[in-house]
């Protein structure tokens, strides 16, 4: 590890790896965990196997890759003991990767004519054949070690929690066999032996107990990784820079440390901020000049808090150039690469490139191109990192969940509709919609009347059109066991497609019927309104006629009683009424009074009003 003088030619390309875990060859820049590395080594010596667990991003993988394994190998160089090391991740292929790791560390003896490409597959198969023996494999490994000159083999099974997804989605039997092998790793007798280190999130401890005898086996063999202390963190901040002829201003550490101490994603955030700030600072200097990272450099890359999300936004812009199709492709890729676990925690979801390209809705070439900026060495958001080639079967994975949790574009919940929900929540919502459609489509398959309602169809049709652009997406939301029914995905897709088509037709005919009904209703309404109007008019005319009649007879009576004095009284009543009443009045009193009426609505009427109503009213 780093306590040994570091020859310049073994220094990695950059002092800070960023978001990803340290690689085994990055031991020269790995600081602050010396004590913990020693502790793990002494535990494997005692137990043969140790499970290193802890919170997300606390540095488990880095500790083993850049701390423990290089120390073992160095021990071999210094003390003459032979240590071989091998590393695997369950998601890359559980038993095949185990066979591959063993083959790399302990190649099976080859006959001369086996020295061809075919032969390595044959020898790999031979480890595969031995793996089928379950727990018995350990004896074969020890035998192979003895046969190949003694020494020990330390196998790192990194991200051991991935075995539970493997068991669920691929093969439970494989997972059981693997665990059976692990349970047989015990402290070796004598000088050589097979050692195993598992790294796992503590959240998954409960899942281990689901396998017979595994909890009992693990209890004495687990190591909960302590957090790095302040001294360790300061070493991790300052010492890598010094190896590369640089320095970190003390104020930078002062700004970074509180964030590291308070945040769940402390270490990944620290690493990423250091990588970005040092890249920013080094641009000011010539290659052989001493460089200094200042607080301004840190601020320029977004500070400790925003360095990740600011960088992610920049890379997103560089990958998509504002092209909506590419933006959509990136969104769907990230949706495929992330998940919410049962406790709604954002987790990464490694995925084969073929599946990713299928989901992205663009050609493979375009998918590869948009992935590229995320895989660049000065970014390392998604692995495998450039210049590694990506083939159809290559596993693509987000380097660390800190990216999911820190990038609003991915993780925003979108409360209150003020900000759009992040991609991970859109995925969650779409998954629910899909499952509800699959459920309904199953009913529809049994009874073709079980269509979606018109309103639901209108809501779901545009959604379904978007989903169609991303074939393969529904595989992850398939309802049922893909391991048992391999064609279940196609069946469900066909069922939903048929139901959507039938529901769309149904909605269209319902609309045209409504349209026709509406037309007919409009006509009837018109006729009804016209007849009502006619009736009302007739009634009103009758009423007016009756009133006119009554008024006329009253007028006549009054005329006879009051003579010409009645005219102003009549006009008082009319004064309060509308024009029709005025007309009525005109009709009633006759044209002969018209001129005097008009004349008298002035002062004479006022005089009449002030003198009170005429007698007899
Ligand atoms: N000693 C260290 N000094 C500085 N940075 C570190 C150290 N150990 C880990 N890191 C950084 O912390 C981040 C997380 O590291 P790593 O992936 O090893 O954690 P982990 O516990 O294995 O995470 P996960 O729970 O996702 O498996 C990475 O960015 C890594 O570079
Ligand atoms: Mg890890």
């Amino acid at each position: 590890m780093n306590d040994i003088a570091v020859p310049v030619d073994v220094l990695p390309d950059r002092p800070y790896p960023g978001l990803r875990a340290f690689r085994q060859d990055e031991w020269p820049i790995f600081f602050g965990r010396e004590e913990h590395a020693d502790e793990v080594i002494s535990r494997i010596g005692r137990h043969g196997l140790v499970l290193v667990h802890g919170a997300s991003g606390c540095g488990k993988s880095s500790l083993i890759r850049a701390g423990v394994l290089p120390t073992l190998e160095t021990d071999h160089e210094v003390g003459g003991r032979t240590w071989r090391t091998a590393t695997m991740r369950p998601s890359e292929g559980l038993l095949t990767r185990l066979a591959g790791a063993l083959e790399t560390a302990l190649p099976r003896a080859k006959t001369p004519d086996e020295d061809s490409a075919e032969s390595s597959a044959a020898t790999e198969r031979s480890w595969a054949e031995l793996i089928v023996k379950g727990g018995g494999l350990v004896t074969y490994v020890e035998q192979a070690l003895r046969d190949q000159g003694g020494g020990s083999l330390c196998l790192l099974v990194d991200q051991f929690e991935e075995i539970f997804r493997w068991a669920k989605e691929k093969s439970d039997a494989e997972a059981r066999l693997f665990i059976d092998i692990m349970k047989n790793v015990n402290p070796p007798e004598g000088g050589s032996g097979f050692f195993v280190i598992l790294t796992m999130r503590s959240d998954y401890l409960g899942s281990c107990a689901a396998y017979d005898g595994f909890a009992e086996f693990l209890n004495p063999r687990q190591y909960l990784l302590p957090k790095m202390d302040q001294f360790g963190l300061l070493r991790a901040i300052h010492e890598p820079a010094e190896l590369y002829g640089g320095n970190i201003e003390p104020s930078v550490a002062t700004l970074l440390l509180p964030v590291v101490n308070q945040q769940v994603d402390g270490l990944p955030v620290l690493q990423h901020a250091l990588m970005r700030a040092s890249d920013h600072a080094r641009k000011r200097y010539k290659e052989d000049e001493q460089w200094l990272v200042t607080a301004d450099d840190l601020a320029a890359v977004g500070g400790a808090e925003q360095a990740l999300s600011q960088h992610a936004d920049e890379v997103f812009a560089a990958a998509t150039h504002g092209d909506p199709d590419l933006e959509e492709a990136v969104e769907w890729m990230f949706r495929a690469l992330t998940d919410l676990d049962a406790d709604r925690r954002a987790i990464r979801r490694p995925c084969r490139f073929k599946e990713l390209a299928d989901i992205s809705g663009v050609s493979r070439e375009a998918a590869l191109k948009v992935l590229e900026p995320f895989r660049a060495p000065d970014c390392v958001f998604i692995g495998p990192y450039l210049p590694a080639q990506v083939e159809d079967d290559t596993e693509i994975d987000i380097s660390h969940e800190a990216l999911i949790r820190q990038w609003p574009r991915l993780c925003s919940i979108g409360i209150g509709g003020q900000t759009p929900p992040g991609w991970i929540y859109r995925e969650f919502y779409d998954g629910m919609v899909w499952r509800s459609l699959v459920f309904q489509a199953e009913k529809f398959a049994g009874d073709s009347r079980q269509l979606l309602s018109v309103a639901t169809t209108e809501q779901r049709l545009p959604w379904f059109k978007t989903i169609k652009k991303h074939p393969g997406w529904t595989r992850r939301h398939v309802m049922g066991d893909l391991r048992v029914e391999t064609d279940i995905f196609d069946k469900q897709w066909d069922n939903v497609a048929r139901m959507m088509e039938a529901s769309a037709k149904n909605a269209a005919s319902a609309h045209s019927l409504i349209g026709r009904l509406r037309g007919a209703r409009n006509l009837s309404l018109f006729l009804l309104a016209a007849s009502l109007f006619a009736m009302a008019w007739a009634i009103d005319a009758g009423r007016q006629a009756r009133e006119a009649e009554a008024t006329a007879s009253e007028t006549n009576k009054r005329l006879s009683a009051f003579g010409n004095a009645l005219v102003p009284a009549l006009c008082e009543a009319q004064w309060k009424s509308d024009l029709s009443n005025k007309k009525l009045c005109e009709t009633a009193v006759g044209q002969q009074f018209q001129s005097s009426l008009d004349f008298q609505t002035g002062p004479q009427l006022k005089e009449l009003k002030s003198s009170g109503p005429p007698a007899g009213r």
Side-chain angles (χ1 to χ4, degrees), residues 79-115:
R81 270 181 70 195
T82 313
W83 274 95
R84 300 159 205 252
T85 60
T87 299
M88 64 164 287
R89 269 183 67 168
S91 68
E92 290 165 351
L94 193 54
L95 298 182
T96 47
R97 283 299 295 129
L98 176 60
L102 290 175
E103 174 57 23
T104 314
L106 287 169
R108 303 288 291 161
K110 291 177 186 170
T111 56
D113 61 331
E114 276 183 335
D115 258 347

Side-chain angles (χ1 to χ4, degrees), residues 553-574:
S553 69
E554 179 72 6
T555 306
N556 286 338
K557 272 190 219 157
R558 291 189 181 198
L559 269 177
S560 59
F562 301 106
N564 286 339
L566 180 68
V567 175
L570 183 64
C571 285
E572 183 202 25
Q574 300 307 318

